Amino acid sequence: MPDLGSSSSHPYLANGLSRDLRCRSYDVVVVGGGVGGLTAAMGAAASWSVGLLTKAGFDETATFFAQGGIAAALAPYDSPELHLRDTLAAGAGLCDEEAVKVLVQEGPDRVYRLERLGTKFDKLDGQLILASEGAHSVPRIVHAGGDATGSVVEGALVEAMVAGRRVALHEDEFVVDLIMREGRVVGALSLSPDGGFTASFARAVVLATGGAGQLFANTTNPPAATGDGHAMAFRAGAWLRDMEFMQFHPTAFYCSENPALLVTEALRGAGAYLRDIHGERFMLGIHPQAELAPRDVVVRRMKEVMDRDQVDHVLLDARHLACVDLRDKFPTVTQGLRARGVDLCTQLVPVSPASHYFMGGVITDLWGRTSLPGLWACGEVASTGVHGANRLASNSLLEGLVFGERVVHDIERSFRVPGLLEPPEPILSLPATNAPGNSEGDVAAARERLALTMSRLCGIVRSEAALCEARRTVKEIRGALRPPRARVAELELVNLLTLAELMIESALRRQESRGVHLRSDYPERDGRWLKNIAVRRENAGKRSFRVLERGERPDD
Ligand SMILES: Cc1cc2nc3c(=O)[nH]c(=O)nc-3n(C[C@H](O)[C@H](O)[C@H](O)COP(=O)(O)OP(=O)(O)OC[C@H]3O[C@@H](n4cnc5c(N)ncnc54)[C@H](O)[C@@H]3O)c2cc1C
C-alpha cells in the first residue's frame, strides 16, 4: 500500500493532507489534455480502459494556444534529413540525434493522421500551405486557421476522443502526486474542486502536463503551465534533465498581461522585421537568416539592443506587408493586437521576450519510458532529447504527436509481459491533516516575488552572482511558507519553487553559454560542456546531480 505522508522527509506533496479518499482503477491513467496527453489517451483507449485527468479546460492548454503550426518534411523540396539537420543545428549540440531521427521520420505520417482525424490544415488548390519559421532552411510549417493551429488541433483531438467515448474524462482534477508502490508508479493522486482527493490507480501512468513558463514574470504560457508534472516526477524519484534550459520567445506583445499575447514567429517568416526604438533593423549582419535566426540568437541580440537603448522592448514591423494577407494569414494576432489598441497593418508592434518553452523535463527513452517503472512521459514535460539546448520552432506539437503515439506502443509491449503489471489493490490511506496553509495574499505575493526573481536573475542572461542571489531569495520564499493546505494555488507554488531550485542549480553548474543558456561570466560555448545535466531526488530528500556524456543515460 502506498504510504502517503508518513514522515516529514517523505517525498509526497500530499504530506499531511487529508480528506476522504475516492478510488478509481484504469489500465492507463493519462495526466494532461494537450497534444501529448490526448494522443496517448486516444491511442491507449483503442485497447484498454483509460482515465484522463486535467487540471484545467482543454482551451487552457499550451496546445490550444499554439499559433504557428507543426513542422514536418512534407514538401517535395524537403526531406527528414534536412529537418534533422536544422533541428540539430538549433539544438546547439545537445540534441539526442536518435530521438530527432524518430521525430523527423515519423513526423510526416503523424501530420497526415491528424488530418485524417479531422484537422483542417490550410491549403491552396488542394495542397498544404507550408510557412517559414526561424532556423528552418525551407518552408515546412503546416498550419490551420491561419495562426490558430493549436486550437484547431486541440479541437480535432478532443472531438475525436469524445466521439470515441472510450476515455473517462476528469477535468478540473489537479494531480498532486504520483502514487508509488515499491519503487513503481501505480497511480495518481488528485484534488477535486470540492476539496476531496481521488486516487486513480493504473497499470501505466502517462505524464503529459506540459511546461513551466509561469515560473517567469513575462510568459506566453497558459496559467496551468506551472511545472506540476516535473515537480511530482522529481518527488517520486525520476531522473530529469536539462533543467537550465528555458526558451524565451522573442516576440510576445509588450505588456503586463499574464499570459502575454504571442506574436507568432510566422509573421517574421512572412517578412516582418525587427527594429530597435530608433527604427533600425538590428538582426542584419548578426546571422545569415537575420530575423529568422534561431530564437536564442534573436533573443540575445534583442537583449543587447534593449540594454544599449535602456528600454525593455523592441518593435516588430509588418507595415510593408499586404494588409489583406496579414488579416487572412494571422487572424489571431491581428485581432489580438486590435483588441489591445494596435493595428498590425499600419503600426509598429512593441514586443519583448517571454518565457515560452521549457526544454527541461523528465528523461525518457525513445518510447517515452521514464526512469521509474510504470511511468511514461510525453509532450513538453518529457525530455526526449529532441530539442537540445534550444527548441526549433514548431517542433513541439510534432513531438507530442510522435512520442504520444510511441508511448502507447511501449505500454502495449509492457502489458504483454505476464505477471509484471497486476493492477494494484485500490487501498490508500491519508493521515489526518493539520497543515496550517498560507493565506491567498501570501501565496500571491510569494508567487510574484518568485517570478520577478527568476526573470531578473535566472532569465535570459545569468551569472554566478545573480544565480546565487536567486538561490538565496528562493530559499527565503520557501522558508517563509507554512506547509501547504489542499489548495491548488498553494500546491502550484510549491511546485514552482521546486522547479526554480532545480533550474538555478543546473544553471550554476553549466559554466558556459549554449543555446538559450547565456552566462555573462562564461560568454563562450565550451566544448567541455557538450554534456547534459541530470538531476533526481534521493530517498533522503537530497538532490543528486549527474553530468552525462553524450548519449549516456543516468542509470548507465
Ligand atoms: C502561445 C504559444 C504558442 C505556441 N506555438 C507553437 C507552435 O506554433 N508550434 C509548436 O510546435 N509549438 C508551439 N508552442 C509550444 C506547444 O504549444 C507546447 O509545447 C505543446 O502544446 C505542449 O503540449 P503538452 O501536451 O505537453 O502540454 P499542454 O498542451 O500544455 O497541456 C498540458 C495539460 O496538462 C494538464 N496539467 C498540468 N498540470 C496538471 C496537474 N497538476 N494535474 C492535472 N492536469 C495537469 C493541463 O491542464 C493540460 O491539460 C506554443 C506554445 C505557446 C504557449
Side-chain angles (χ1 to χ4, degrees):
M1 186 182 83
D3 176 24
L4 289 189
S6 59
S7 81
S8 58
S9 67
H10 202 280
Y12 293 111
L13 181 55
N15 218 3
L17 305 175
S18 113
R19 296 289 145 94
D20 289 340
L21 189 67
R22 296 180 280 251
C23 291
R24 314 176 181 123
S25 258
Y26 299 101
D27 292 314
V28 180
V29 159
V30 178
V31 187
V35 64
L38 291 173
T39 305
M42 267 197 301
S47 314
W48 310 294
S49 65
V50 177
L52 178 72
L53 278 61
T54 71
K55 75 170 175 183
F58 292 112
D59 56 354
E60 294 168 85
T61 58
T63 301
F64 189 90
F65 280 33
Q67 293 181 353
I70 308 177
L74 299 165
Y77 52 74
D78 200 359
S79 67
E81 290 70 33
L82 205 53
H83 191 182
L84 171 78
R85 204 185 66 189
D86 292 346
T87 304
L88 296 179
L94 284 193
C95 296
D96 175 335
E97 191 165 337
E98 290 311 306
V100 183
K101 278 185 187 157
V102 166
L103 180 81
V104 298
Q105 282 165 1
E106 296 182 7
D109 184 52
R110 296 299 166 269
V111 172
Y112 289 130
R113 193 175 300 184
L114 195 56
E115 192 175 24
R116 286 198 295 277
L117 211 67
T119 307
K120 295 210 177 335
F121 290 116
D122 296 330
K123 291 188 172 176
L124 186 64
D125 300 331
Q127 300 295 314
L128 287 169
I129 304 172
L130 299 169
S132 298
E133 280 190 3
H136 288 276
S137 52
V138 295
R140 64 162 70 94
I141 319 296
V142 286
H143 44 88
D147 57 0
T149 310
S151 57
V152 176
V153 167
E154 179 83 8
L157 288 170
V158 171
E159 213 168 286
M161 182 181 64
V162 171
R165 288 197 279 172
R166 295 178 62 100
V167 176
L169 267 184
H170 304 286
E171 280 184 84
D172 286 327
E173 287 222 19
F174 179 88
V175 174
V176 180
D177 267 315
L178 299 167
I179 303 170
M180 304 291 293
R181 180 178 298 168
E182 292 163 7
R184 178 177 188 90
V185 176
V186 294
L189 181 73
S190 58
L191 176 62
S192 307
D194 66 4
F197 280 103
T198 304
S200 299
F201 291 101
R203 298 198 284 160
V205 175
V206 181
L207 205 53
T209 45
Q214 290 287 334
L215 193 48
F216 293 86
N218 193 22
T219 184
T220 63
N221 284 196
T226 51
D228 302 337
H230 295 79
M232 69 181 89
F234 177 71
R235 282 192 291 275
W239 278 104
L240 281 74
R241 177 172 61 189
D242 295 341
M243 298 298 282
E244 66 273 37
F245 295 124
M246 171 62 82
Q247 182 178 72
F248 284 76
H249 195 290
T251 54
F253 181 61
Y254 172 65
C255 65
S256 57
E257 280 174 300
N258 180 356
L261 173 71
L262 180 72
V263 185
T264 176
E265 186 152 320
L267 252 172
R268 279 175 283 136
Y273 301 139
L274 284 169
R275 298 186 185 278
D276 64 20
I277 50 157
H278 311 292
E280 293 299 318
R281 282 180 71 188
F282 56 80
M283 285 307 298
L284 294 173
I286 299 295
H287 189 278
Q289 286 172 283
E291 277 88 352
L292 282 183
R295 284 182 183 168
D296 53 337
V297 177
V298 179
V299 166
R300 277 179 199 199
R301 180 67 184 143
M302 278 172 79
K303 177 83 174 112
E304 280 168 15
V305 166
M306 292 188 300
D307 286 351
R308 181 197 66 198
D309 295 342
Q310 302 196 341
V311 292
D312 45 12
H313 67 278
V314 296
L315 303 164
L316 186 77
D317 188 0
R319 295 171 302 175
H320 53 290
L321 305 176
C323 193
V324 61
D325 278 356
L326 290 175
R327 290 196 178 129
D328 193 36
K329 291 184 185 155
F330 305 106
T332 308
V333 171
T334 314
Q335 284 159 27
L337 288 174
R338 193 180 307 131
R340 290 159 179 82
V342 177
D343 181 356
L344 182 64
C345 295
T346 59
Q347 288 177 290
L348 292 163
V349 183
V351 290
S352 61
S355 64
H356 183 65
Y357 185 88
F358 191 25
M359 268 76 72
V362 184
I363 301 182
T364 69
D365 66 8
L366 295 181
W367 296 95
R369 203 182 267 233
T370 73
S371 60
L372 293 180
L375 183 68
W376 284 257
C378 58
E380 196 166 335
V381 70
S383 172
T384 59
V386 299
H387 304 303
N390 177 48
R391 176 187 70 115
L392 181 66
S394 287
N395 264 358
S396 42
L397 290 176
L398 188 69
E399 184 193 22
L401 292 170
V402 168
F403 287 92
E405 176 119 356
R406 286 194 143 229
V407 157
V408 177
H409 290 301
D410 198 55
I411 290 176
E412 181 168 23
R413 272 195 294 265
S414 74
F415 280 5
R416 279 193 228 130
V417 181
L420 264 186
L421 290 160
E422 289 306 311
E425 286 166 35
I427 323 161
L428 186 86
S429 66
L430 292 170
T433 183
N434 47 13
N438 302 276
S439 74
E440 263 177 49
D442 285 350
V443 171
R447 176 108 179 230
E448 189 183 356
R449 187 169 175 218
L450 175 65
L452 290 171
T453 300
M454 292 303 284
S455 292
R456 188 168 66 83
L457 302 170
C458 188
I460 297 166
V461 184
R462 298 151 170 191
S463 68
E464 181 167 338
L467 290 167
C468 288
E469 190 187 333
R471 178 198 268 162
R472 282 192 298 275
T473 310
V474 170
K475 194 171 173 195
E476 252 176 57
I477 299 172
R478 200 190 263 283
L481 288 175
R482 297 187 293 184
R485 261 177 305 146
R487 284 197 314 124
V488 170
E490 284 193 65
L491 301 174
E492 284 180 341
L493 173 60
V494 177
N495 288 337
L496 286 167
L497 285 165
T498 301
L499 255 68
E501 289 157 357
L502 297 179
M503 190 177 288
I504 291 166
E505 297 306 323
S506 303
L508 271 166
R509 279 169 174 75
R510 183 169 289 283
Q511 296 182 339
E512 63 153 357
S513 292
R514 179 184 298 275
V516 300
H517 174 71
L518 176 56
R519 289 276 304 250
S520 57
D521 44 355
Y522 295 96
E524 303 300 327
R525 196 184 285 191
D526 182 342
R528 288 173 300 182
W529 270 105
L530 209 50
K531 297 171 180 170
N532 299 91
I533 299 171
V535 61
R536 79 164 166 189
R537 184 187 187 282
E538 301 290 354
N539 282 340
K542 251 183 72 218
R543 289 184 291 257
S544 160
F545 284 90
R546 273 202 58 188
V547 176
L548 305 175
E549 299 298 329
R550 304 296 302 126
E552 191 190 1
R553 307 202 70 82
D555 289 325
D556 286 351

